[in-house]
Amino acid sequence: MKTLRQIVLALTLLGAATASAWAVPLLASKVTDPRTAFDDLTIAAANLGYAIVKMQPVDSALTKRGFDDTHVRLFFIGKAEAVREAEEKAPLLLQMLPLRVVMIIRKEEVVLMSDDFDRWRQIFSDSWSVPLLNRWEDDVRTIFLEYANGSKH
């Protein structure tokens, strides 16, 4: 049986080979428990001025409806500066805020995944939107790297 890490690596390699047709969202993974993963995500986001504004436990909503527990949580992270800048420069991007982070819990491993910023840049390709999307992608990449490598408390 393949581990989640092997599957993610295979998808990443496939994505790199077909980047123009299918882009891969940002991913970060580490061996930890869900509570520590949440704390580390919170700290990594805060280090860049972001806060978790909402957590949606997708798994509990599904189990209430009779489905198996998917061990998936959806986090929304945001900062006021990003909202203000989008309001001023690219109001259509407000629908992308707050940024979404999916947390997938697999045994001892907790994986974070972002939206696909390449796809967003295809949809919002004007000269004001692209720099904002690039900055948000860089922020999420930094948050994910800090999450995976240990947060700076």
Side-chain angles (χ1 to χ4, degrees):
M1 185 168 151
K2 292 187 184 276
T3 67
L4 183 58
R5 190 175 304 245
Q6 290 169 319
I7 293 168
V8 168
L9 178 60
L11 288 174
T12 302
L13 293 173
L14 177 62
T18 61
S20 63
W22 181 63
V24 177
L26 300 175
L27 296 170
S29 174
K30 70 178 176 178
V31 175
T32 190
D33 62 274
R35 181 68 215 179
T36 302
F38 171 77
D39 291 344
D40 290 348
L41 172 60
T42 301
I43 292 166
N47 286 340
L48 282 180
Y50 286 86
I52 294 177
V53 296
K54 182 180 178 184
M55 190 272 292
Q56 183 175 345
V58 177
D59 49 2
S60 65
L62 288 172
T63 55
K64 286 179 189 175
R65 290 171 177 80
F67 294 94
D68 290 337
D69 187 343
T70 58
H71 303 287
V72 173
R73 292 177 182 54
L74 181 58
F75 293 92
F76 297 88
I77 62 172
K79 66 178 176 180
E81 177 185 320
V83 172
R84 280 192 300 272
E85 196 167 22
E87 284 176 331
E88 292 172 14
K89 296 179 179 177
L92 286 176
L93 287 183
L94 287 170
Q95 62 189 314
M96 305 317 236
L97 298 174
L99 301 172
R100 287 166 296 282
V101 175
V102 177
M103 179 183 282
I104 304 167
I105 303 160
R106 297 284 182 234
K107 297 184 183 178
E108 320 75 52
E109 184 176 30
V110 180
V111 178
L112 301 181
M113 182 172 39
S114 75
D115 284 321
D116 180 352
F117 285 92
D118 286 338
R119 182 71 179 128
W120 286 8
R121 279 187 289 271
Q122 290 173 7
I123 296 168
F124 304 104
S125 59
D126 62 89
S127 61
W128 290 104
S129 296
V130 171
L132 292 178
L133 291 170
N134 290 342
R135 185 172 318 122
W136 298 342
E137 181 179 30
D138 289 344
D139 287 351
V140 171
R141 182 177 288 110
T142 300
I143 291 167
F144 281 16
L145 285 171
E146 190 171 316
Y147 164 82
N149 296 322
S151 296
K152 301 173 215 160
H153 301 275

